[in-house]
Amino acid sequence: MTNLTYTHLTFDCIADTPVHLGGYWAGNRLRGALANVLRRTTCPEQHNPNPPHEHSATCPACWLLNHKLDPGHARRAYSLAPPLPPQETVQPGQHFRFTITLYGEGWQFLPYFVLAVGEMAHTGVGQWRDGARGTFTVAAITARNPFTDHTELLMEPGSDYIKVPEHPIAWSDIFHSQSTVRNSQLTIHFLTPTRFIHDHHLAKMPDFGIFFRRLLHRIDTLGTQLAGTPRRAETDIERLHVLADKVRLIDADMHWIELRPRSGRDGQFKPMSGFIGKATYSAENWQELWPYVIFGQGIQVGKSTSKGNGVYQVVGFDPMYWLDQTVANRAGFGTK
């Protein structure tokens, strides 16, 4: 288990001008626009590539974008889930939505994200077309707990009043839902590019042992850094790894998505490529592993989660975590 809690802030938006999200590029474009607004509006050291530690510890933009409580193992206090299914271009009057997830103590910066998204709506997001980026209106902001299917309306259409969510998602919520593995098989739908580095090599297939190692490490690191969770004993970690390595991949319908955006900070290309699709696994006993897999749906997994990567959901549970399966099937989402 973990003390980690998180809150999903879902922004329901209406395009005012064409918004060119670019399909699987949407997460990177949304995060880039969001980061630019946060730096410009809140960070006096925005042009300094190496701001002093004292500044980074107190500046909301630096704390959120470059959070380093544990050098070498930093985890940002938020992640981003782009529109699902992916959308290339949203025409004026059409709706789209994306979700920002705040972890642990990161919830205190909720007002900064709400204000930044509001500013981003006016300044624009997406690929440049005709000398401008796409603008939009934030119609509503909600906080939904997919395990209980409870939704809090944080900002009503036409209102500027923001309500603070009352109940973040916690580990205990997974046991109040109907999310249990009822047989030996479990299918995971990787909704956005998922990128794993294992033993210094890029993993191009969803091996469960690698997936679970990255997921457990992410849950534990976020919990330690942002929620005061004690470090997990090495013996416990090794035991869970052994169980994960016994899980077999029995079917996979995967597709590789190539993404290499250029960083706006240093001009370097940053690989974000990863696999999408469905993978079915078999295990004799899921009892100890499934809570982490179910809980992890809300925190994403792998590299570049702050740019929309690593969104996944477990297939067959009601309600679905991110995307109703009928919508996915109708869109041909996640298939070759």
Side-chain angles (χ1 to χ4, degrees):
M1 61 173 298
T2 178
N3 295 336
L4 179 66
T5 61
Y6 53 86
T7 300
H8 295 313
L9 303 178
T10 297
F11 295 83
D12 286 283
C13 308
I14 303 173
D16 297 324
T17 64
V19 181
H20 303 287
L21 295 172
Y24 289 107
W25 288 87
N28 179 67
R29 291 174 179 175
L30 286 165
R31 192 269 181 182
L34 186 68
N36 288 338
V37 169
L38 281 169
R39 291 191 182 101
R40 185 178 70 250
T41 58
T42 65
C43 181
E45 295 277 350
Q46 61 175 301
H47 300 298
N48 184 352
N50 297 297
H53 177 75
E54 305 77 40
H55 166 80
S56 299
T58 58
C59 171
C62 290
W63 195 92
L64 288 165
L65 302 175
N66 306 294
H67 189 37
K68 293 184 178 179
L69 294 180
D70 188 356
H73 299 281
R75 291 294 181 272
R76 290 185 174 90
Y78 75 99
S79 61
L80 186 148
L84 298 169
Q87 295 173 263
E88 286 290 335
T89 299
V90 185
Q91 297 296 342
Q94 293 182 336
H95 292 249
F96 68 99
R97 63 169 51 178
F98 62 93
T99 298
I100 295 173
T101 303
L102 303 180
Y103 304 111
E105 61 188 70
W107 74 269
Q108 64 187 300
F109 293 104
L110 181 151
Y112 290 94
F113 278 105
V114 171
L115 291 172
V117 171
E119 177 66 17
M120 183 174 73
H122 294 295
T123 58
V125 69
Q127 190 175 29
W128 286 91
R129 296 286 176 89
D130 300 324
R133 299 186 189 275
T135 59
F136 59 92
T137 298
V138 178
I141 305 173
T142 57
R144 174 175 172 251
N145 184 333
F147 296 123
T148 63
D149 207 21
H150 175 71
T151 299
E152 295 181 70
L153 185 62
L154 306 184
M155 187 190 80
E156 296 183 6
S159 172
D160 293 327
Y161 174 75
I162 304 298
K163 175 186 174 184
V164 176
E166 297 178 358
H167 304 291
I169 299 169
W171 179 265
S172 59
D173 289 334
I174 65 178
F175 300 101
H176 292 214
S177 71
Q178 299 301 312
S179 300
T180 58
V181 181
R182 296 179 176 84
N183 53 49
S184 64
Q185 295 185 8
L186 181 149
T187 299
I188 295 176
H189 192 170
F190 296 94
L191 298 169
T192 65
T194 303
R195 184 179 182 86
F196 297 139
I197 304 296
H198 183 68
D199 288 340
H200 307 291
H201 291 89
L202 180 62
K204 290 201 171 185
M205 285 296 286
D207 176 84
F208 189 85
I210 297 174
F211 161 77
F212 190 82
R213 279 170 169 77
R214 300 276 66 81
L215 180 64
L216 182 66
H217 181 71
R218 179 165 168 77
I219 290 173
D220 285 354
T221 307
L222 285 169
T224 299
Q225 293 181 351
L226 301 170
T229 302
R231 292 189 181 276
R232 190 182 302 272
E234 289 296 327
T235 53
D236 189 25
I237 294 174
E238 182 59 28
R239 181 177 55 80
L240 290 169
H241 284 179
V242 169
L243 290 173
D245 288 340
K246 293 180 180 179
V247 176
R248 294 183 298 116
L249 175 65
I250 61 173
D251 189 32
D253 181 10
M254 312 304 295
H255 183 58
W256 188 259
I257 302 295
E258 194 67 38
L259 299 173
R260 286 181 60 85
R262 185 190 295 271
S263 170
R265 295 281 284 175
D266 57 22
Q268 300 296 312
F269 286 100
K270 309 290 185 180
M272 285 179 54
S273 307
F275 54 75
I276 63 167
K278 294 179 183 178
T280 299
Y281 305 95
S282 178
E284 293 182 1
N285 190 340
W286 287 102
Q287 183 175 355
E288 290 196 67
L289 299 176
W290 82 261
Y292 296 97
V293 178
I294 298 297
F295 186 75
Q297 293 175 107
I299 69 168
Q300 302 166 226
V301 66
K303 298 286 187 179
S304 301
T305 55
S306 66
K307 300 178 182 179
N309 273 15
V311 180
Y312 76 90
Q313 69 182 13
V314 180
V315 175
F317 294 132
D318 185 22
M320 299 295 284
Y321 199 95
W322 291 104
L323 182 68
D324 185 272
Q325 203 57 47
T326 58
V327 175
N329 293 337
R330 187 166 60 248
F333 188 39
T335 60
K336 295 182 180 180

